[in-house]
Amino acid sequence: MIDPADYALWNSGVPRPYLKALSSDDLLAESDGVRVRDSGGRWYLDGRSGLWNVTLGYGNTRVKEAIKQQVDKLPFANSYGYGRPAQVTVDCAEALVGHLPEGINHVRFASNGAQAVEMALQLSRFLRLRAGQPERMAVFAMWDGFHGQGPGAGMVTGVPYLHHQTGPMLPEVHHAPGPFSHGATPGVSDMERLIREFGPERVTAVIVEPVVGEGGHILSPEYLGSLGRFCREHDIHLIFDEVVTGMGRVGDFTRAGQLPDVTPDIITLGKGITSGYVPMSAVAIHDRLYEQLHERTTGDTALSVGSTNDGHAVAAAAALAVIGALTEDGVLENVRRREADLLAALGKLQAQHPELTGFRCLGLFCGLELGEPGGPSWSPGKVNKLRMALEARGVLSSSLRVVPNLMLMPPLVITEDDVAEIAGALDGALTDVKSGRLPESGFAKAMG
Ligand SMILES: Cc1ncc(COP(=O)(O)O)c(C=O)c1O
């Protein structure tokens, strides 16, 4: 047993008391299907899929075997620059584009979501410079949107505290309220309005999550269709960040694939691309950008982005296996069925607990709003208490630091019984919070 005060693990994003309160018993030690066990011996149904990435649960044989075989065969090959990529990496890209919207036929793999987002932004700006448009550098993103952390990804993420915590970040980034934001103009796209006011000829790209992770706000097909037309009209690159929505979460390979009226120029993927078994992400681009990339570059001036492990052979083998699972093992159909179960269960819960003031699900991407009936929303701290009460009842979920919502992001392979178990635990946890019956652990208290 390690004294928590002495953990060597440096876990950013939380104050020290949290780590101190985390006893060795709280650490996760084992998994089985959609469940994880902590070192103290308690099993949990993982209603947040790790960090929204373990989409096939922890025991997918297809993915595990593919990883083992690739480690034996060829654990690494260099996909960067003039290296020779592994056969499996090339095969993975071919298989992936077969499930992306028409015209999006080129994939570059990266290692995490933030890197994919930064690569997409770099590609957009690079094409402007090559086209002799150095004045066209501005990027627009959405308040409350999440695109990762780091000097570029953290800057497009619409969470102000991230923009100032480490000094200067990526310049020329602007944010607009989303249609769900409190400050949104009714009946108007603030994104389009603000870009018009700013000058569309100075904007290189707009980046949005088609379902905004902080709260699970589903951007409507009409909103995104209009944004797509606006971007085409003004030659602005439209980037769909599908790090969460992609790879099955919404019941298809991408949200873009469900929207016939809009095709983005760039799609970023991550998280579920390998079901979280090994790190990987991807930047998929439309033919029209790919052509420009080559028209305007020579060997000396090619866009240089990437890092050592991009397109890693083991990750590519895992991603190929995930694609196999989504297409051949009925996972996408399961998402659609369980979405219906979850919506029905949440409807019933809402009738008993008016504090559940709203909920949104697209596939197995669910945001739950909480508040006093007819009164204010719960604070993030109170939502956190609900999360801990739910955890004490054996179900893991996510609460958000900025938006006071509880997120249910279960693995895409959950069963009807699993949904009933989540709903039963949530019923009990809502009652616990109302009656002030909260978990006793130091960990739960430090979270509050
Ligand atoms: C929509 C979205 N984009 C990008 C990222 C960043 O991904 P990563 O944490 O792998 O860098 C996240 C992470 O949660 C995300 O939700």
Side-chain angles (χ1 to χ4, degrees), residues 282-345:
V283 187
I285 68 174
H286 198 280
D287 293 339
R288 55 181 174 260
L289 264 61
Y290 192 70
E291 291 310 319
Q292 291 171 20
L293 187 62
H294 291 293
E295 268 166 26
R296 293 169 188 161
T297 51
T298 63
D300 289 344
T301 58
L303 172 64
S304 186
V305 288
S307 100
T308 304
N309 288 309
D310 294 353
H312 196 283
V314 177
L320 254 182
V322 168
I323 294 168
L326 295 187
T327 51
E328 292 163 28
D329 296 345
V331 175
L332 298 178
E333 294 76 39
N334 191 61
V335 171
R336 294 180 206 133
R337 281 200 209 102
R338 300 295 83 87
E339 173 191 12
D341 296 343
L342 204 47
L343 281 168

Side-chain angles (χ1 to χ4, degrees), residues 112-114 117 146-148 209 241 243-244 271:
N112 61 58
V117 164
F146 193 86
H147 302 288
E209 297 158 273
D241 182 351
V243 164
V244 179
K271 298 224 187 240

Side-chain angles (χ1 to χ4, degrees), residues 207-226:
I207 181 165
V208 290
E209 297 158 273
V211 182
V212 179
E214 297 270 323
H217 296 282
I218 303 162
L219 298 182
S220 70
E222 295 72 31
Y223 179 90
L224 290 171
S226 169

Side-chain angles (χ1 to χ4, degrees), residues 108-195:
R108 191 186 191 290
F109 292 113
S111 304
N112 61 58
Q115 189 198 359
V117 164
E118 293 187 347
M119 233 178 240
L121 300 176
Q122 282 186 286
L123 169 65
S124 177
R125 287 185 170 179
F126 176 83
L127 293 177
R128 304 306 182 185
L129 291 177
R130 286 281 168 267
Q133 301 175 311
E135 70 292 346
R136 187 159 205 165
M137 289 291 116
V139 175
F140 270 74
M142 200 169 268
W143 287 120
D144 292 327
F146 193 86
H147 302 288
Q149 308 206 24
M155 193 61 212
V156 285
T157 288
V159 176
Y161 79 83
L162 287 183
H163 302 160
H164 308 295
Q165 61 175 357
T166 53
M169 307 259 282
L170 187 73
E172 298 207 47
V173 174
H174 306 264
H175 294 86
F180 53 85
S181 305
H182 288 309
T185 318
V188 168
S189 165
D190 288 303
M191 180 69 82
E192 294 176 30
R193 179 181 62 78
L194 288 174
I195 293 175

Side-chain angles (χ1 to χ4, degrees), residues 184-426:
T185 318
V188 168
S189 165
D190 288 303
M191 180 69 82
E192 294 176 30
R193 179 181 62 78
L194 288 174
I195 293 175
R196 270 206 190 89
E197 285 168 18
F198 179 84
E201 67 290 347
R202 289 161 57 208
V203 178
T204 185
V206 170
I207 181 165
V208 290
E209 297 158 273
V211 182
V212 179
E214 297 270 323
H217 296 282
I218 303 162
L219 298 182
S220 70
E222 295 72 31
Y223 179 90
L224 290 171
S226 169
L227 185 61
R229 286 189 293 279
F230 176 84
C231 287
R232 290 304 292 280
E233 187 188 327
H234 296 285
D235 184 28
I236 294 168
H237 300 144
L238 178 60
I239 306 171
F240 270 16
D241 182 351
E242 299 227 32
V243 164
V244 179
T245 47
M247 305 307 290
R249 174 63 62 196
V250 298
D252 272 299
F253 267 81
T254 58
R255 176 60 175 153
Q258 297 177 329
L259 301 170
D261 282 352
V262 53
T263 305
D265 298 286
I266 307 178
I267 295 179
T268 54
L269 298 165
K271 298 224 187 240
I273 194 167
T274 55
S275 187
Y277 286 31
V278 280
M280 189 186 222
S281 63
V283 187
I285 68 174
H286 198 280
D287 293 339
R288 55 181 174 260
L289 264 61
Y290 192 70
E291 291 310 319
Q292 291 171 20
L293 187 62
H294 291 293
E295 268 166 26
R296 293 169 188 161
T297 51
T298 63
D300 289 344
T301 58
L303 172 64
S304 186
V305 288
S307 100
T308 304
N309 288 309
D310 294 353
H312 196 283
V314 177
L320 254 182
V322 168
I323 294 168
L326 295 187
T327 51
E328 292 163 28
D329 296 345
V331 175
L332 298 178
E333 294 76 39
N334 191 61
V335 171
R336 294 180 206 133
R337 281 200 209 102
R338 300 295 83 87
E339 173 191 12
D341 296 343
L342 204 47
L343 281 168
L346 290 171
K348 278 191 198 144
L349 271 182
Q350 196 175 30
Q352 293 153 18
H353 299 280
E355 298 76 18
L356 179 57
T357 51
F359 55 88
R360 298 167 286 271
C361 291
L362 189 70
L364 289 174
F365 191 145
C366 288
L368 277 57
E369 280 182 10
L370 294 140
E372 301 315 321
S377 299
W378 282 4
S379 65
K382 190 159 180 185
V383 178
N384 233 334
K385 286 193 168 67
L386 176 65
R387 168 155 93 91
M388 296 317 295
L390 191 55
E391 226 164 281
R393 287 175 174 274
V395 172
L396 304 182
S397 63
S398 294
S399 54
L400 305 170
R401 195 191 293 206
V402 180
V403 186
N405 280 199
L406 189 84
M407 301 298 299
L408 292 177
M409 308 286 285
L412 312 184
V413 294
I414 51 165
T415 63
E416 200 178 344
D417 286 348
D418 294 331
V419 173
E421 189 176 328
I422 292 172
L426 193 53

Side-chain angles (χ1 to χ4, degrees), residues 1 7 18 21-32 34-46 48 58 387-388 390-396 439 441-444:
M1 289 277 250
Y7 282 137
Y18 166 83
L22 196 66
S23 93
S24 301
D25 280 355
D26 295 317
L27 307 179
L28 296 186
E30 193 188 348
S31 62
D32 182 14
V34 296
R35 286 158 208 274
V36 288
R37 180 182 65 75
D38 67 21
S39 304
R42 288 214 51 187
W43 282 94
Y44 303 87
L45 197 165
D46 187 2
R48 61 172 178 240
Y58 296 84
R387 168 155 93 91
M388 296 317 295
L390 191 55
E391 226 164 281
R393 287 175 174 274
V395 172
L396 304 182
S441 79
F443 171 39

